[in-house]
């Protein structure tokens, strides 16, 4: 062994580690980068990068970086790729829904060409809402994949709720006759998520997997928020049902002199509750985006690793950022038009066709507005991404209870404030009927009980769906307010006759 080799071995060891003489002979403080002189590289040329402080200006900017899961490999707008990717959609069921897109222009044309065919207009626009809402969900999913995980889930849930917000707003603007439908639709949207969608997710996941386990940070936060939101929604209804029995009553019936004052109190309580619910939603978003962002992001990222179709999802073609926004704009324009035409015919369906406003708001309207979110969540549960599915389900339910319902009340508040006629005031409030309030609380308790153990199977999913069907049957036979008033007066007459005959 030569002197040079022996010296190197004493300094660094036989395999490049520090040798026995390293600390005694070469343990000197390194010079700062500014004092280091460039050393010749192995090729005989000076390495100009050594001794130079790296320039951070060449690093990619965080705000301008597309997440790798949503990278399309293209920029701008390409018509052929745009149509192809939108047609293929996110899964097979969503692709089948795209077959209904020709109904959208047909529904719009029939509304103007055959304005007196109310039933046909309602049916066509009801069907047309499905592919338009599905495209909003798909474009929102493509946009969410280009963002960080937690922000992407919140963005996707918010975009999926745009259909609901549009329907609520149009219903409120149309007048007082649609207020019962709006109230029922608020609760129906929550029930469709907590019972129908979650049940179908548990069934889909239970068929492919014996049992699925989800993280407590997703289930406990969501179920706890839903219980609080349910209480906030029910308090105005409780006030409306109890106070007339203790004040302003005469002979067991409400006095007509105090009815306007009492209605104003219920409306004031509803508006104050709506503001507080919006604050609660802001705290919920801050909780997810700031203080507990790392925990939730870790859960969602692990869920994506468990996704059985992850390789296929990463390999398939995606929309560019420009194409995602364009798809959203087109779908939102179609949803807005279809929603207006659909809401216009609800009064005819309720009054002339005998469909109860409870069934219309609690079942029919939420089913068509939630189709995109339901398809996405069911596909995620099928692929074993159960935490992601629950994030969409509970996130959409929380947003409906805390934000969307409050927006409907505030829209009615604004219209009532700026109505200068002095006669017509839109009374949008949260005074739900007793049946609606009871069903809401019981449904939240049922869903929370199934989420408590952190596990799911197809039996729990089947029970959730059966509970939803029971509610749908009851809503179908629920009488309208006019029928309820008539039945109440008839019952009072029979009771008076019975008392008189005794």
């Amino acid at each position: 062994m030569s002197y040079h080799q022996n010296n190197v071995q004493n300094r660094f060891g036989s395999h490049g580690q520090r040798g026995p003489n390293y600390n005694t002979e070469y343990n000197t403080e390194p010079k700062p980068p500014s004092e280091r002189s460039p050393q010749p590289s192995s090729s005989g040329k000076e390495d100009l990068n050594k001794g130079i402080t790296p320039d951070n200006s060449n690093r990619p900017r965080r705000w301008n970086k597309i997440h790798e899961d949503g990278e399309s490999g293209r920029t701008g707008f390409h018509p052929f790729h745009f149509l192809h990717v939108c047609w293929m959609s996110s899964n097979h069921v969503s692709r089948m829904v795209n077959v209904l897109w020709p109904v959208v222009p047909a529904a719009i044309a029939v509304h103007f060409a055959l304005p007196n065919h109310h039933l046909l207009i309602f049916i066509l626009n009801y069907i047309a809402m499905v592919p338009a809402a599905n495209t909003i969900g798909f474009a929102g999913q493509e946009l969410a994949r280009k963002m960080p995980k937690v922000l992407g889930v919140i963005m996707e849930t918010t975009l999926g709720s745009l259909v609901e917000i549009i329907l609520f707003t149009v219903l409120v603007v149309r007048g007082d006759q649609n207020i019962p439908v709006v109230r029922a639709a608020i609760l129906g949207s929550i029930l469709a998520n907590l019972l129908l969608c979650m049940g179908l997710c548990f069934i889909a996941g239970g068929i492919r997997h014996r049992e699925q386990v989800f993280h407590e940070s997703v289930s406990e936060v969501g179920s706890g928020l839903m219980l609080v939101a349910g209480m906030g929604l029910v308090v105005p209804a409780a006030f409306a049902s109890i106070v007339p029995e203790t004040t302003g009553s005469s002979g067991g019936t409400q006095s007509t002199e105090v009815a306007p004052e009492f209605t104003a109190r219920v409306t004031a309580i509803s508006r104050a509750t709506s503001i507080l619910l919006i604050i609660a939603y802001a705290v919920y978003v801050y909780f997810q985006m700031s203080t507990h962002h790392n925990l939730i992001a870790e859960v969602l990222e692990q869920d994506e690793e468990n996704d059985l179709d992850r390789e296929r999802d990463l390999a398939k073609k995606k929309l560019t950022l420009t194409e995602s926004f364009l798809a959203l704009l087109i779908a939102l324009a179609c949803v807005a038009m279809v929603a207006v035409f659909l809401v216009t015919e609800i009064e005819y369906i309720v009054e002339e066709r005998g469909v109860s406003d409870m069934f219309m708001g609690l079942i029919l309207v939420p089913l068509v507005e939630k189709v995109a979110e339901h398809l996405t969540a069911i596909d995620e549960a099928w692929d074993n991404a159960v935490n992601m599915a629950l994030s969409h389900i509970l996130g959409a339910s929380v947003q409906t209870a805390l934000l969307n319902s409050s927006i409907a009340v505030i829209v009615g508040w604004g219209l009532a404030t700026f109505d200068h006629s002095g006669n017509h005031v839109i009374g949008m409030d949260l005074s739900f009927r007793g049946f609606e309030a009871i069903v809401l609380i019981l449904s939240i308790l049922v869903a929370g009980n199934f989420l408590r153990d952190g596990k799911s199977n197809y039996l729990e999913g089947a029970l959730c769906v059966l509970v939803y069907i029971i509610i749908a049957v009851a809503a179908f036979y629920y009488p309208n307010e006019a029928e309820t008033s008539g039945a109440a007066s008839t019952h009072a007459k029979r009771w008076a006759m019975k008392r008189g005959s005794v």
Side-chain angles (χ1 to χ4, degrees):
M1 181 181 298
S2 64
Y3 171 80
H4 177 73
Q5 292 174 340
N6 187 26
N7 190 24
V8 171
Q9 185 171 352
N10 289 333
R11 292 168 56 190
F12 298 101
S14 58
H15 298 285
Q17 298 89 354
R18 293 180 177 180
N21 298 331
Y22 181 87
N23 292 329
T24 58
E25 297 181 11
Y26 298 93
N27 189 14
T28 58
E29 289 294 330
K31 294 181 180 180
S34 58
E35 299 179 8
R36 295 175 187 172
S37 58
Q39 299 295 327
S41 61
S42 58
S43 59
K45 298 181 180 179
E46 290 187 348
D47 190 353
L48 299 179
N49 292 329
K50 290 185 177 181
I52 300 176
T53 304
D55 186 8
N56 295 330
S57 61
N58 294 327
R59 294 181 179 179
R61 298 179 180 177
R62 293 178 180 267
W63 58 269
N64 198 29
K65 184 178 180 181
I66 300 297
H67 196 276
E68 58 182 1
D69 291 351
E71 182 60 55
S72 64
R74 300 180 290 113
T75 58
F77 174 70
H78 304 270
F80 176 77
H81 289 281
F82 174 75
L83 295 176
H84 176 71
V85 174
C86 289
W87 172 258
M88 296 301 293
S89 195
S90 58
N91 53 70
H92 296 292
V93 180
S94 182
R95 190 182 313 155
M96 293 172 60
V97 171
N98 286 332
V99 178
L100 300 175
W101 259 106
V103 181
V104 176
I108 298 174
V110 169
H111 172 79
F112 293 103
L114 303 172
N116 295 325
H117 292 69
H118 302 286
L119 182 61
L120 179 62
I121 295 173
F122 178 83
I123 294 175
L124 288 178
N125 283 277
Y126 190 86
I127 298 174
M129 182 68 73
V130 177
N134 180 63
T135 302
I136 291 180
F138 172 69
Q141 185 180 28
E142 289 289 301
L143 187 61
R145 287 180 175 177
K146 304 179 187 300
M147 302 178 179
K149 291 293 179 291
V150 180
L151 177 61
V153 171
I154 296 177
M155 178 66 67
E156 187 176 356
T157 303
T158 303
L159 292 174
S161 297
L162 286 178
V163 180
E164 183 174 272
I165 295 174
I166 292 173
L167 279 173
F168 289 173
T169 304
V170 174
L171 282 168
V172 172
V173 171
R174 293 289 299 178
D176 290 344
Q177 69 276 7
N178 291 322
I179 298 302
V181 178
V182 178
R183 297 194 192 105
I186 292 173
L187 301 187
S189 178
I190 298 173
L191 300 182
N193 282 320
L194 290 182
L195 296 178
L196 179 62
C197 185
M198 191 173 74
L200 293 176
C201 287
F202 286 175
I203 292 175
I207 291 175
R208 196 172 185 182
H209 314 278
R210 182 179 181 87
E211 188 177 68
Q212 290 181 311
V213 180
F214 41 86
H215 199 273
E216 60 182 5
S217 65
V218 177
S219 59
E220 290 186 3
V221 173
S223 59
L225 271 173
M226 281 309 306
L227 192 58
V228 173
M231 178 181 175
L233 293 176
V234 168
V235 165
F239 180 86
S241 62
I242 294 176
V243 171
E245 298 179 358
T246 58
T247 61
S249 61
S250 176
T253 59
Q254 183 179 341
S255 175
T256 56
E257 285 77 6
V258 299
E261 179 184 355
F262 174 72
T263 302
R265 293 180 180 180
V266 174
T267 304
I269 294 174
S270 301
R271 292 170 179 173
T273 302
S274 299
I275 295 174
L276 295 175
L277 291 179
I278 292 178
I279 296 175
Y281 182 75
V283 174
Y284 166 66
V285 173
Y286 181 78
F287 175 87
Q288 286 190 313
M289 293 296 301
S290 181
T291 58
H292 291 68
H293 175 272
N294 293 336
L295 174 61
I296 299 176
E298 182 180 353
V299 173
L300 297 180
E301 289 175 358
Q302 182 61 41
D303 224 41
E304 287 194 344
E305 295 296 331
N306 298 333
D307 193 341
L308 299 180
D309 289 342
R310 177 171 173 78
E311 298 298 330
R312 183 181 63 85
D313 291 338
L314 293 177
K316 70 179 184 180
K317 297 180 180 179
K318 301 176 180 64
L319 295 177
T320 64
L321 187 62
T322 304
E323 292 170 346
S324 299
F325 281 114
L326 181 61
L328 277 174
L329 291 176
I330 295 175
L332 282 174
C334 294
V335 164
M337 287 189 293
V338 170
V340 172
F341 303 155
L342 180 68
V343 168
T344 304
E345 307 302 332
I346 286 181
E347 184 177 359
Y348 169 82
I349 298 298
V350 171
E351 295 181 358
E352 302 296 333
R353 292 292 174 174
V355 178
S356 68
D357 54 10
M358 179 70 74
F359 185 76
M360 176 66 69
L362 203 64
I363 305 299
L364 292 182
V365 173
L367 282 180
V368 71
E369 74 184 42
K370 291 293 183 181
V371 60
E373 296 178 5
H374 292 181
L375 292 177
T376 300
I378 294 171
D379 179 65
E380 289 169 343
W382 175 261
D383 294 335
N384 200 31
V386 64
N387 288 299
M388 190 73 73
L390 286 178
S391 297
H392 285 109
I393 295 171
L394 297 176
S397 302
V398 168
Q399 184 167 350
T400 299
L402 299 181
L403 181 64
N404 298 353
S405 61
S406 303
I407 290 177
V409 174
I410 292 175
V411 168
W413 188 2
L415 292 175
T417 301
F418 295 102
D419 187 4
H420 300 288
S421 63
N423 298 321
H424 178 67
V425 176
I426 297 179
M428 177 59 199
D429 53 35
L430 299 176
S431 58
F432 299 102
R433 289 168 279 193
F435 173 78
E436 297 170 331
I438 294 173
V439 164
L440 174 64
I441 296 300
L442 291 179
S443 300
I444 292 175
L445 293 177
V446 169
N449 185 65
F450 286 145
L451 293 172
R452 185 180 304 169
D453 60 349
K455 301 177 182 178
S456 65
N457 52 60
Y458 69 88
L459 174 61
E460 295 177 346
L463 294 177
C464 287
V465 174
L466 290 177
V467 171
Y468 183 81
I469 295 175
I470 292 173
I471 296 173
V473 172
F476 181 79
Y477 288 102
Y478 196 92
N480 293 329
E481 290 186 350
E483 298 174 359
T484 305
S485 302
S489 61
T490 303
H491 179 73
K493 292 179 181 178
R494 290 178 179 176
W495 177 251
M497 292 175 63
K498 183 178 180 180
R499 291 287 299 273
S501 61
V502 174

